[in-house]
Amino acid sequence: ELLNLCYKVIYYKRTKNIKYIFSTIPSFVNTRNNIELLKNLLDNNYPILFEGLHSCFYLNHPELVNRNRVVRTHNIELEYYKKLAIYDRNIFNKIHYFFETLKLKNYEVNTLKHASAIAAISKNDFIYLKTFHNNVNHVSAFHPNDDVISKIGKGDFILYHGTLSIPENLNAAIWLVKNVFSKLNYKCIIIGNCKPKSLSNLIKRYKNIELISNIPTNEIHSYIQNAHINILPTFQNTGIKLKLLAAIFNGRFCIANSFMVENTGLDPLCIVKNSPTEMINSINEIMKTPFTEEIIEYRRNYLNENNFTNEKSITNLLKIIFPTL
């Protein structure tokens, strides 16, 4: 699909070498070191958009210092990897994430300060990045939603969806099953990309909970739309969660905890509850309440006015990439 949109698309082999373990550069950056990429960047004088810290190996290269170098940050990677090290249950992954965290303590700040500008994905990230860079801009997440297409009326189930191979999401799903879903008389569905044993074995105890995995994206969106409540707790307040935007643009009621919505600007569109008791009480009340056209219209207006549309985001990003236009 990119070939239909771009003048040229070039793929680079990601190099993996055991020596990267002993480097001070994080592995997810070091493995994207490719001299052909640098040659192609030097072949013209265009602005460069570095998508994520992952792509920033050449950000501070001396031959690129006169170029407009914009970095689109996805997270504060130091905090993200710190949480991965805590929550991943695989001991080898834990060790890997721990060493990545140690490397990131210096690398993230010392590298990003060379950018001409930074496009932060969330207000939290914007606040942090402003502490060491004087040209930081907030550009909200891009997403596949053009309009609010939530359904009016009522659904008959509660939904949690997420990539369950990511420890953060798996832990949230297990927490929901133990503390919320198992205490309800309503049907609860969890959708993910896999069926982790720890979660599958836990769910077998409860007749009202179902785990669905590896279904097409359009089917996931159908579940999001038809659920009466999309419930989205997280224990890691980094970046902005695309699944939260998916629930707001496509679903009915959305319950989230403070970590999920903190400094995202999306909290007015969610029912924010933190404890299991608060969530259970809220679910029991909301399941009796129809979702209305008035709520949909409020959402649509709020998202447009607060720069959560792709049109607003691309306009903001283009101003950074081409500041003289």
Side-chain angles (χ1 to χ4, degrees):
E1 289 188 26
L2 287 175
L3 288 169
N4 296 323
L5 301 168
C6 302
Y7 172 71
K8 189 184 290 186
V9 179
I10 304 166
Y11 292 91
Y12 302 94
K13 187 177 177 63
R14 190 174 173 191
T15 55
K16 295 185 179 181
N17 194 308
I18 196 165
K19 69 180 182 182
Y20 292 149
I21 297 171
F22 307 101
S23 170
T24 57
I25 301 172
S27 298
F28 67 84
V29 179
N30 226 342
T31 53
R32 290 174 170 86
N33 161 22
N34 189 303
I35 194 65
E36 290 302 314
L37 170 59
L38 178 62
K39 287 178 181 176
N40 285 322
L41 291 175
L42 293 171
D43 198 36
N44 55 63
N45 198 36
Y46 304 144
I48 305 168
L49 175 62
F50 293 83
E51 182 70 20
L53 188 67
H54 306 65
S55 66
C56 287
F57 186 87
Y58 293 113
L59 177 65
N60 61 345
H61 194 279
E63 291 187 74
L64 297 174
V65 292
N66 294 320
R67 302 280 283 280
N68 185 21
R69 292 157 293 152
V70 178
V71 178
R72 169 44 151 192
T73 56
H74 298 160
N75 291 295
I76 303 305
E77 297 294 350
L78 172 61
E79 295 303 318
Y80 182 69
Y81 274 83
K82 201 182 287 182
K83 293 287 174 58
L84 287 177
I86 293 169
Y87 289 120
D88 201 299
R89 299 177 180 208
N90 182 300
I91 187 63
F92 296 105
N93 288 343
K94 272 186 176 290
I95 293 168
H96 169 67
Y97 294 142
F98 173 74
F99 281 110
E100 290 290 276
T101 302
L102 291 180
K103 295 174 184 179
L104 279 163
K105 279 186 178 178
N106 292 315
Y107 184 83
E108 190 164 30
V109 173
N110 290 338
T111 299
L112 291 179
K113 69 183 183 183
H114 293 282
S116 310
I118 299 176
I121 202 167
S122 73
K123 289 183 180 176
N124 266 353
D125 293 7
F126 172 82
I127 292 165
Y128 168 75
L129 293 164
K130 284 285 285 185
T131 61
F132 63 85
H133 201 289
N134 61 6
N135 190 7
V136 183
N137 308 264
H138 176 217
V139 178
S140 190
F142 293 98
H143 51 81
N145 312 288
D146 295 321
D147 191 17
V148 177
I149 55 170
S150 306
K151 291 183 175 180
I152 60 170
K154 293 173 68 176
D156 62 357
F157 64 93
I158 301 124
L159 177 69
Y160 173 80
H161 77 281
T163 306
L164 296 176
S165 55
I166 296 175
E168 172 196 351
N169 295 332
L170 176 58
N171 281 299
I174 290 171
W175 183 88
L176 274 175
V177 172
K178 287 181 177 179
N179 299 290
V180 180
F181 288 175
S182 59
K183 319 291 183 187
L184 297 169
N185 294 320
Y186 298 104
K187 184 178 180 181
C188 301
I189 296 175
I190 296 171
I191 294 179
N193 64 325
C194 58
K195 289 189 174 182
K197 279 189 178 180
S198 55
L199 183 59
S200 297
N201 292 337
L202 179 62
I203 285 175
K204 286 176 185 176
R205 305 178 199 171
Y206 308 104
K207 291 182 179 179
N208 69 315
I209 308 173
E210 183 182 359
L211 175 60
I212 299 171
S213 65
N214 291 318
I215 60 174
T217 303
N218 63 319
E219 286 188 38
I220 296 172
H221 285 162
S222 178
Y223 276 100
I224 292 171
Q225 269 197 304
N226 289 304
H228 195 61
I229 299 170
N230 281 270
I231 187 164
L232 294 170
T234 186
F235 304 104
Q236 193 168 329
N237 62 338
T238 54
I240 187 167
K241 306 293 188 292
L242 290 176
K243 60 188 174 185
L244 176 60
L245 287 168
I248 289 170
F249 273 90
N250 299 284
R252 294 187 177 101
F253 294 102
C254 182
I255 295 178
N257 64 352
S258 296
F259 279 143
M260 178 61 79
V261 297
E262 184 181 11
N263 275 333
T264 62
L266 292 168
D267 42 304
L269 305 181
C270 302
I271 297 140
V272 183
K273 303 293 178 184
N274 290 305
S275 73
T277 302
E278 287 176 335
M279 289 184 177
I280 291 165
N281 291 340
S282 189
I283 288 168
N284 285 327
E285 184 180 335
I286 296 167
M287 288 300 286
K288 302 169 190 172
T289 309
F291 197 76
T292 66
E293 190 64 54
E294 287 76 20
I295 302 174
I296 293 173
E297 199 54 34
Y298 173 76
R299 266 189 197 177
R300 184 176 286 124
N301 292 335
Y302 183 90
L303 291 164
N304 284 329
E305 290 167 8
N306 290 276
N307 295 336
F308 287 104
T309 63
N310 288 327
E311 188 178 355
K312 292 279 181 71
S313 295
I314 196 64
T315 300
N316 292 338
L317 185 58
L318 286 171
K319 286 177 182 176
I320 304 164
I321 299 172
F322 302 103
T324 58
L325 293 182

